[in-house]
Amino acid sequence: MSSYEARFKVWRGDAQGGGLEDFTVEVNDGEVVLDIIHRLQATQAPDLAVRWNCKAGKCGSCSAEINGRPRLMCMTRMSVFTREETITVTPLRTFPVMRDLVTDVGFNYTKAREVPAFVPPAGLGPGEYRMMQEDVDRSQEFRKCIECFLCQDVCHVVRDHEENKKAYAGPRFLMRIAELDMHPLDAAAETGLDRKRTAQDDHGLGYCNITKCCTEVCPEGIKITDNALIPLKERTVDRKYDPLVWLGSKIRRRSSPA
Amino acid sequence: MSVVDRQEWDVVVVGAGGAGLRAAIEARERGARTAVICKSLFGKAHTVMAEGGIAAAMGNVNEHDNWQVHFRDTLRGGKFLNQWRMAELHAKEAPDRVWELETWGALFDRTKDGKISQRNFGGHEYPRLAHVGDRTGLELIRTLQQKIVSLQQEDHRETGDYESRLKVFQECTVTRILKDGERVSGVFAYERETGRFFVLQAPSVVIATGGIGKSFKVTSNSWEYTGDGHALALLAGAPLLNMEFVQFHPTGMIWPPSVKGILVTESVRGDGGVLRNSEGKRFMFDYVPDVFKEKYAETEDEADRWYDDPDHNRRPPELLPRDEVARAINSEVKEGRGSPHGGVFLDVSTRMPAEVVRRRLPSMYHQFKELADVDITAEPMEVGPTCHYVMGGIAVDSDTAAARGVPGLFAAGEVAGGMHGSNRLGGNSLSDLLVFGRRAGWHAAEYAQGLTQDRPPVGDAQVDAAAAEALRPFSAEAEDVAGPPENPYTLHQELQQTMNDLVGIIRREGEMEQALKKLAELRVRARRAGVEGHRQFNPGWHLALDLRNMLLVSECVARAALERTESRGGHTREDHPSMDRAWRRLNLLCRLSDPTGSLAATDPVRGQISLAPETTDPIRPDLLALFEKEELVKYLTEEELYE
């Protein structure tokens, strides 16, 4: 074990503009990028703005772009870089900068509100829910999401196209729809809500062209594209174009009370 | 200066972890317009780090479990110091609170017959913890967050505004509770992004800010845990109780240094992991204290049989309550039988197949792989105690969660005291959040609704004083009377080192006296904590303001710990090593020495905190009857037993 001096470039500025600032800073054995940012705060730049919380990869607060790649600062070990390398830390590009490494991630909270909530099944009281482990496995994978919004940041549908933000919920919230759709007891259909159809019509599922960038950056290793988005697309296609499924859904909806 | 923006709400909840969100849901469902204020983004609260599970006697895995058994375990864990009515309500209501989460969309791990699965944990007689792998806290926070969103969706359908009845003010910090006479009238806060001040006027305020771990150097707690709610309550005139009881979780990571303190879940032991010293010995068999002697296995064979046949074998001593295990690890290291980096070994690799480890403990596998280059399926982890939880907190009424002496103030979760006595059992925290979060929201709403005609006003003078206090760090340099401005980060590090070294897991009179002197010095220096830059998202400024809270709370811990001359639960005195039955009935209450709540006169010798002992209510006879007499004599004095 040994310490060394590393070269960092950290973006500093606000909504009006800013640029990369150079720092030389001590690095010790076992440290992660967030440790170095904290050392900068404590010794060189006390007002350097950064969001963080658990420092254990569980809360999803310290998302940033490290050498251009969206990552959690608390889970990026300094040992993955060579000692000669200059490490560049910039804020998430898809969201408006507030200050330094902190961005306005309000887009994600707006989208979260647009996804209709879990609908509890009528006639089942608390304590009466019965579900098999194999039936909850799929939705549980999606509920591992720590809402770091790295997938939202990397997704090129919105990363380079501000104009798509209105119509597109992004991987995290399309996955939320898939999660609810695969929930064994979600009763949305009984209330006339077709989650698959709304994924397509209201949340922009069609914009996704399965480049899997979201899956690649997910710190939880969730297979967003393969397990959530593609199945959702396949089911949507079934719904939209299969006349028998279409007919079945019409008949069932008419015979149900609401 | 009083051009500060003001809004009116019925209930303001400070903190958006499990307790705060559960309180907000309850208050809103009971018709109160409710605002939640939190320091982080919505959904990032420290609750996400809870790993093991939610303790609730549902009896899904072992049908013998019921609320009485859970109550007994909780009192044993807390060494009978618990506010027994809280422990009773908690044990009775926890199952309903867990089942309710399912109706809001939570997906717990299942039993073979499709019910919520329950796992073993330290101090719990039966498998009792509802869980989702080792990320239960995340599931809890996400479920509550999504329930709040669903209520906002309802409000949007009715009013066209998502935030008409329930609003989350995220990344905002409350610095003062405002009062009109005795009564709560609102809160003073700043927005972290802009530094802008604002006031939320409300007759009811629920404090749900969690704990104090950031006053210690080695801790599993996140940056938010600066004791804000404890300090806000003190400053508002409400007493704190049992502040000497701080839980050191036995298993935190110890290597590499940058991750020191990060939690290693107790589920590792609940699911079969064992503790060994450098000689390869399962040392916990040597550390079963007298009060627990009959309940724990005496041989490795018996302990190992227990996992499959718990009805005919006693549990392994690795599953003793946390205070016992933490002290044992501390002793092993001190005796020279520690691991290379000064801890002990926690091993699952020789206890279960790699694929079972990865399935049951996915975050632990990930955490060690990513942060320490350790594959826990192939080699043991190195672990040691880490500051994890404060049992002490705001003194509250058991049924209503109302803080004592300040009408309109409520508290729930870690910031509230009493429930866990001198030591909390794993899993009892998440259930505590739900049970008492709901009760706090309920009674806060009811209290606010009873005051519709007579709402306490917010006076300008208080708002001006709060604003001046919050701006002080920017002018520290200009008004230097006693020395140069201080770096808040340096002050924080010195505070953490002091508490860690002098008021840590093992305590001695001389060291605590030294700590109080150091705290007094830091308090004076903290008055000169200065910051650079401006008010927009300035972490240096935020820390300078948080220091006030950490210093107040640290003084409470040190003073109470010095006063209590016995060892019990999360308070271990080397100079008073045994438990004293006479101390069981005594709570130590901390109050601000200057009742006006002003901190201007910081007398370095006298300090800011006064202590007062208080005798607790006798335990209700029907609850005492749940225990055998032979057990009670270990905890209760002769006269208590006689009564």
Side-chain angles (χ1 to χ4, degrees), chain A residues 30 35 46 48 51-55 58-59 77 98-99 109 113 115 131 133 140 143 146-147, chain B residues 40 42 44 51 107 109-110 114 139 143 153 163 171 193 222-223 258 367 370 373 489 536 539:
Chain A
D35 289 313
L48 171 60
R51 241 189 220 118
W52 69 288
N53 219 324
C54 74
K55 203 176 170 289
K58 290 183 167 53
C59 76
R77 297 186 70 185
M98 279 160 50
R99 227 192 109 199
Y109 288 92
R113 275 181 181 165
V115 177
M131 296 177 265
Q133 184 61 45
Q140 277 189 336
R143 289 182 74 82
I146 58 173
E147 298 202 332
Chain B
S40 289
F42 184 30
K44 304 296 182 199
E51 290 160 354
L107 284 174
D109 288 351
R110 318 305 298 180
E139 184 68 16
T143 302
Q153 290 171 343
E163 294 174 335
E171 300 196 304
E193 179 191 348
S222 78
W223 70 265
S258 68
Q367 182 173 312
E370 298 282 320
D373 274 333
Y489 295 97
Q536 196 192 10

Side-chain angles (χ1 to χ4, degrees), chain A residues 1 14-15 29-32 35 38 41-61 74-77 79 98-100 102-106 109-110 112-120 124-133 136 139-141 143-149 172 176 179 183-184 219-220, chain B residues 40-46 48-49 51 96 99-100 102-116 131-132 134-135 138-139 142-143 145-146 149-150 152-153 162-163 166 170-171 193 214 221-224 255-259 262-263 363-364 366-367 369-373 487 489-490 493 532-534 536-541:
Chain A
M1 67 167 289
D14 55 24
D29 204 33
E31 286 183 331
V32 294
D35 289 313
H38 282 159
Q41 274 185 341
T43 57
Q44 304 182 39
D47 61 342
L48 171 60
V50 56
R51 241 189 220 118
W52 69 288
N53 219 324
C54 74
K55 203 176 170 289
K58 290 183 167 53
C59 76
S61 301
C74 72
M75 295 304 280
T76 306
R77 297 186 70 185
S79 58
M98 279 160 50
R99 227 192 109 199
D100 302 339
V102 177
T103 55
D104 176 359
V105 291
Y109 288 92
T110 305
R113 275 181 181 165
E114 291 170 0
V115 177
F118 171 71
V119 181
L124 275 190
E128 295 172 350
Y129 286 34
R130 295 291 177 272
M131 296 177 265
M132 291 300 132
Q133 184 61 45
V136 300
S139 293
Q140 277 189 336
E141 181 191 4
R143 289 182 74 82
K144 278 161 55 186
C145 170
I146 58 173
E147 298 202 332
C148 61
F149 307 130
R172 195 282 171 257
R176 165 77 172 141
E179 171 214 317
H183 188 302
E220 286 295 304
Chain B
S40 289
L41 291 171
F42 184 30
K44 304 296 182 199
H46 194 55
V48 301
M49 294 186 74
E51 290 160 354
D96 286 338
W99 286 323
E100 173 178 79
E102 281 198 307
T103 70
W104 299 343
L107 284 174
F108 293 101
D109 288 351
R110 318 305 298 180
T111 61
K112 287 206 163 51
D113 54 352
K115 295 181 186 169
I116 295 172
H131 60 273
V132 187
D134 50 10
R135 58 160 189 88
L138 176 68
E139 184 68 16
R142 203 63 82 224
T143 302
Q145 182 185 352
Q146 287 163 351
V149 168
S150 88
Q152 291 178 323
Q153 290 171 343
Y162 284 108
E163 294 174 335
L166 179 52
Q170 57 180 0
E171 300 196 304
E193 179 191 348
K214 271 297 162 190
N221 292 174
S222 78
W223 70 265
E224 297 193 292
W255 187 261
S258 68
V259 301
I262 293 181
L263 192 66
S363 342
M364 286 305 106
H366 189 230
Q367 182 173 312
K369 194 96 194 131
E370 298 282 320
L371 295 175
D373 274 333
N487 177 343
Y489 295 97
T490 310
Q493 281 162 11
E532 291 175 24
H534 41 80
Q536 196 192 10
F537 219 115
N538 186 338
W541 178 41

Side-chain angles (χ1 to χ4, degrees), chain B residues 324-336:
Chain B
E324 309 290 353
V325 183
R327 271 192 297 272
I329 293 175
N330 203 67
S331 306
E332 285 297 306
V333 175
K334 219 168 146 190
E335 304 284 319

Side-chain angles (χ1 to χ4, degrees), chain B residues 310-547:
Chain B
D311 290 342
H312 302 98
N313 293 287
R314 289 171 298 176
R315 42 206 293 118
E318 277 89 356
L319 292 178
L320 275 160
R322 289 174 175 172
D323 52 332
E324 309 290 353
V325 183
R327 271 192 297 272
I329 293 175
N330 203 67
S331 306
E332 285 297 306
V333 175
K334 219 168 146 190
E335 304 284 319
R337 295 188 293 272
S339 66
H341 299 107
V344 294
F345 296 107
L346 171 60
D347 186 27
V348 286
S349 65
T350 59
R351 308 275 301 170
M352 52 184 111
E355 138 277 322
V356 175
V357 173
R358 279 193 292 265
R359 179 162 48 80
R360 303 193 70 154
L361 303 166
S363 342
M364 286 305 106
Y365 174 74
H366 189 230
Q367 182 173 312
F368 273 87
K369 194 96 194 131
E370 298 282 320
L371 295 175
D373 274 333
V374 167
D375 177 359
I376 66 168
T377 67
E379 55 188 315
M381 301 161 244
E382 274 189 82
V383 296
T386 176
C387 179
H388 184 58
Y389 189 87
V390 61
M391 273 65 73
I394 302 170
V396 291
D397 177 80
S398 298
D399 287 80
T400 64
R404 266 203 246 167
V406 185
L409 192 63
F410 300 81
E414 187 171 352
V415 74
M419 159 69 206
H420 304 287
S422 67
N423 172 57
R424 174 175 70 77
L425 293 183
N428 271 1
S429 180
L430 294 186
S431 41
D432 169 8
L433 306 181
L434 295 169
V435 168
F436 293 104
R438 169 176 164 274
R439 284 184 164 267
W442 158 16
H443 292 284
E446 217 169 69
Y447 174 82
Q449 284 156 349
L451 285 181
T452 38
Q453 300 308 314
D454 172 32
R455 295 226 163 177
V458 170
D460 286 345
Q462 273 190 60
V463 177
D464 291 346
E469 181 186 45
L471 286 174
R472 204 186 148 78
F474 287 105
S475 52
E477 208 158 358
E479 49 182 273
D480 63 329
V481 268
E486 293 276 352
N487 177 343
Y489 295 97
T490 310
L491 292 170
H492 186 209
Q493 281 162 11
E494 286 184 38
L495 170 67
Q496 290 181 315
Q497 196 74 54
T498 303
M499 292 305 285
N500 220 76
D501 295 350
L502 306 177
V503 200
I505 179 165
I506 309 291
R507 297 162 175 176
R508 299 162 192 93
E509 183 177 300
E511 290 184 352
M512 287 184 285
E513 282 166 352
Q514 211 184 320
L516 283 167
K517 274 195 205 123
K518 180 71 182 177
L519 289 173
E521 176 213 315
L522 287 170
R523 201 162 57 232
V524 173
R525 285 168 60 197
R527 302 262 309 158
R528 302 197 306 272
V531 292
E532 291 175 24
H534 41 80
R535 280 161 68 177
Q536 196 192 10
F537 219 115
N538 186 338
W541 178 41
H542 303 161
L543 179 59
L545 295 177
D546 292 345
L547 276 174

Side-chain angles (χ1 to χ4, degrees), chain B residues 39 48 72 81 220 267 355 486 508 538 551 586 632:
Chain B
K39 294 208 284 189
V48 301
R72 273 205 304 258
L81 191 95
S220 63
S267 327
E355 138 277 322
E486 293 276 352
R508 299 162 192 93
N538 186 338
L551 284 164
L586 287 179
L632 291 178

Side-chain angles (χ1 to χ4, degrees), chain A residues 60-189:
Chain A
S61 301
C62 64
S63 303
E65 301 195 359
I66 302 169
N67 291 345
R69 188 184 161 81
R71 307 184 71 140
L72 294 179
M73 287 188 274
C74 72
M75 295 304 280
T76 306
R77 297 186 70 185
M78 287 301 296
S79 58
V80 304
F81 308 106
T82 64
R83 292 186 172 201
E84 293 70 37
E85 215 168 328
T86 299
I87 294 148
T88 305
V89 187
T90 49
L92 298 178
R93 194 172 99 193
T94 303
F95 310 119
V97 164
M98 279 160 50
R99 227 192 109 199
D100 302 339
L101 299 176
V102 177
T103 55
D104 176 359
V105 291
F107 167 74
N108 301 291
Y109 288 92
T110 305
K111 294 298 169 184
R113 275 181 181 165
E114 291 170 0
V115 177
F118 171 71
V119 181
L124 275 190
E128 295 172 350
Y129 286 34
R130 295 291 177 272
M131 296 177 265
M132 291 300 132
Q133 184 61 45
E134 52 271 29
D135 296 326
V136 300
D137 277 340
R138 288 185 303 177
S139 293
Q140 277 189 336
E141 181 191 4
F142 308 144
R143 289 182 74 82
K144 278 161 55 186
C145 170
I146 58 173
E147 298 202 332
C148 61
F149 307 130
L150 291 178
C151 61
Q152 303 284 87
D153 176 57
V154 81
C155 181
H156 60 90
V157 175
V158 281
R159 190 173 173 89
D160 298 314
H161 299 280
E162 189 66 29
E163 70 278 10
N164 288 343
K165 279 188 177 168
K166 202 167 181 321
Y168 183 63
R172 195 282 171 257
F173 296 102
L174 291 168
M175 179 174 85
R176 165 77 172 141
I177 298 170
E179 171 214 317
L180 288 164
D181 193 45
M182 295 178 195
H183 188 302
L185 291 178
D186 177 57

Side-chain angles (χ1 to χ4, degrees), chain B residues 37 73 88 148 169 173 207 227 268 289 292 294 356 390 429 444 514 523 594 613:
Chain B
I37 305 191
D73 289 346
E88 179 193 8
I148 284 194
F169 293 79
T173 305
I207 299 184
V268 174
F292 292 122
E294 300 85 46
V356 175
V390 61
S429 180
Q514 211 184 320
R523 201 162 57 232
D594 176 358

Side-chain angles (χ1 to χ4, degrees), chain B residues 585 636-643:
Chain B
R585 297 185 70 180
L636 274 58
T637 58
E638 313 287 319
E639 66 222 72
E640 285 178 276
L641 283 168
Y642 182 74
E643 281 161 21

